[in-house]
Amino acid sequence: MTDVFATLNYHELRAMAQRFLPRGVFEYIDRGSEDEHALRELAQAWRHWQLRPQVMVDVAQRDCSTTIFGRQQASPVVIAPTAMAGLVRHNGEVLMAQAAAQAGVPFCVATQSITPIERIAAMAPEADLWFQLYHWEDRALAHDLVRRAHDAGARVLVLTADTVIAANREYNTRNGFGIPLQPSVRGAWDVLSHPRWLVSTLLRSSLCDGVPTFAHYPPEFRSAVTRPSISKRIQVAQSLSWDDIAALRKLWPGPLVLKGVLRVEDARRAMDCGLDGVVVSSHGARNVDSAPAPIDVLPDIADAVGKHLTVLMDSGVRRGSDVAKALALGARGVMVGRLPLWGMAAGGARGAAHALALLRQELLSTMALTGCPSLSALDATLIQKSLTQ
Ligand SMILES: Cc1cc2nc3c(=O)[nH]c(=O)nc-3n(C[C@H](O)[C@H](O)[C@H](O)COP(=O)(O)O)c2cc1C
């Protein structure tokens, strides 16, 4: 298969991505942590939730548009922040933003982006940009970054709380794909045997911008992704606390969201701190290998805070029916990480946009087949836990 538009689903996009990318990059995107229990649980968990179709409902007109943090979007989906998307394709983060704009959904730029948010905003002026913060040890530098994101046009700030240290991903170490990247004979062979990626991504990016770096690090601390960060000051703060959230609340005038929440108490605390939303997330089953599937903890969190906060969720969303399930269990919308990355690897901005279009089309089909003309019809009566687990 050569044309990304000929792909029918995420399986085919993922297979195309796997052919295009060196193994090190593909596994960095695709896999979980340690023994990958959480990743397997994730797939099971979605299957255990079932939709109960209502019949004899007029679904001739269906609408999956929604409003999240005051802006209308074409579907209840946000492209999740993913570090180093610029290693998947040249200008990867720009391509993501362009795909998001085409699909009419927001794109959340990562702190560990290869492309700076200013360039993303300039090259994708239609995109609704959010910014994800890894809060550095040096509070003043972290706050400077927040101001920078705001000045560049980010509308929503997402603080990631679930990654105070790098998770144990042994395959990355074996592949030399840690931070910093570790050049090796095995890695060199991996890259040489994927010449399309080598030429169109690595060489092109290096020719245009030099060796890739984390674009949001202050210049004095910025180093190539092949070299270790030179200062503890820009490592993620292990001492992060609710006081930091209070400080961010004062600093950030727009919607402020906490990402990586899996407990009702934490969601309540976020509400008490004046946050606007939470993302119920296990980081795509990439961090705590014993973490529950977010879809399973979503109902309690949505019950507790859903009337006051915008509850988003992610981890393992692959099909439109998954989006329908998340909404039926109380989410306002979902984030997707791997899905658009596979699409972008498979076919650049067109590929990522195609991945989002497939998801939207599947959501509309699910709505038709379950008797839901609009997203508000996706409620608790639509969903049940399988009786045959
Ligand atoms: C390659 C990759 C890099 C990621 N980097 C970040 C990151 O820098 N910050 C963050 O908050 N989440 C990061 N995530 C997690 C995503 O934001 C999101 O929570 C997760 O991908 C959702 O699961 P899904 O990939 O199954 O859709 C990353 C995920 C992937 C796959």
Side-chain angles (χ1 to χ4, degrees), residues 84-108:
M84 298 194 282
L87 292 185
V88 173
R89 288 271 179 183
H90 170 60
N91 263 340
E93 289 91 1
V94 172
L95 303 183
M96 277 297 195
Q98 290 169 342
Q102 192 181 328
V105 301
F107 167 52
C108 189

Side-chain angles (χ1 to χ4, degrees), residues 28-30 77-83 85 88 96 107-108 259 281 283-284 286 313-318 334-345 352 355-356 359:
Y28 159 68
I29 292 173
D30 206 66
V77 172
V78 177
I79 299 187
T82 55
V88 173
M96 277 297 195
F107 167 52
C108 189
K259 176 169 181 283
S281 168
H283 213 99
R286 294 162 67 79
M313 71 85 58
D314 75 19
S315 302
V317 174
R318 304 285 180 266
V334 301
M335 285 188 153
V336 284
R338 293 178 181 90
L339 191 64
L341 282 175
W342 291 328
M344 181 172 73
L356 296 170
L359 194 65

